[in-house]
């Protein structure tokens, strides 16, 4: 098989420009590291940072007590279901602080934040709802005597 000089020039030029022949598949770029960390460590740190940031958020204790006191156990169940399906939003100042991070790290941070806020909401809504249900039962019980 004889290769023409024109074909050889095209192959060599493509190797110089693209780093490989035109028909070769290029490897996906390696994941970026953050300050020398492995990608897995950077993702774990971003998730932990999101969970830590969520610790200072308020729960739903007060409103759950009020709902439980008025509606009893049914209201507690509804409040818990709403808390479990809520979609917490990342505060604007936290979004701005994350703006210079890689998109994957931002997504992991936001997921860690949202999961922790949702878990906190579920916990406080259940506790508040049960306390409110206890108040409801005491009120119902005392009104009957």
């Amino acid at each position: 098989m004889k290769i023409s000089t024109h074909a050889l020039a095209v192959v060599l030029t493509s190797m110089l420009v693209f780093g490989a022949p035109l028909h070769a598949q290029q490897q996906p770029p390696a994941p970026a590291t953050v300050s020398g960390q492995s990608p897995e460590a950077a993702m774990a740190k971003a998730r932990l940072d999101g969970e830590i940031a969520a610790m200072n958020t308020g729960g739903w204790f007060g409103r759950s007590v009020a709902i439980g006191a008025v509606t009893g156990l049914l209201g507690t169940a509804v409040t818990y279901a709403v808390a479990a399906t809520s979609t917490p939003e990342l505060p604007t100042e936290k979004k701005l602080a994350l703006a210079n991070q890689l998109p994957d790290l931002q997504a992991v941070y936001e997921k860690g934040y949202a999961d922790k806020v949702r878990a906190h909401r579920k916990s406080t809504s259940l506790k508040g709802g049960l306390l409110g249900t206890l108040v409801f039962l005491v009120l119902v019980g005392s009104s009957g005597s």
Side-chain angles (χ1 to χ4, degrees):
M1 182 168 114
K2 189 174 182 184
I3 298 176
S4 70
T5 56
H6 178 47
L8 184 61
V10 169
V11 170
L12 289 175
T13 303
S14 69
M15 287 178 71
L16 288 173
V17 173
F18 299 108
L22 292 174
H23 66 278
Q25 291 186 3
Q26 293 186 1
Q27 296 292 335
T33 59
V34 177
S35 64
Q37 294 178 335
S38 69
E40 295 82 18
M43 294 291 189
K45 183 180 180 326
R47 179 160 182 87
L48 182 63
D49 289 345
E51 291 174 354
I52 290 171
M55 289 180 162
N56 296 329
T57 59
W60 288 8
F61 187 79
R63 75 176 78 175
S64 298
V65 169
I67 291 172
V70 173
T71 61
L73 200 55
L74 180 63
T76 300
V78 169
T79 304
Y80 182 83
V82 169
T85 59
S86 66
T87 53
E89 281 290 319
L90 194 63
T92 305
E93 64 272 2
K94 294 192 187 315
K95 284 183 181 181
L96 291 174
L98 288 174
N100 60 348
Q101 297 292 327
L102 296 172
D104 291 344
L105 294 178
Q106 289 178 14
V108 168
Y109 181 96
E110 289 178 16
K111 176 140 177 45
Y113 179 86
D115 290 347
K116 191 69 165 182
V117 168
R118 196 174 301 110
H120 188 242
R121 285 178 181 174
K122 288 185 335 186
S123 172
T124 57
S125 70
L126 182 62
K127 291 173 188 172
L130 291 176
L131 179 63
T133 299
L134 181 64
V135 170
F136 175 79
L137 293 174
V138 167
L139 290 174
V140 168
S142 66
S143 69
S145 53

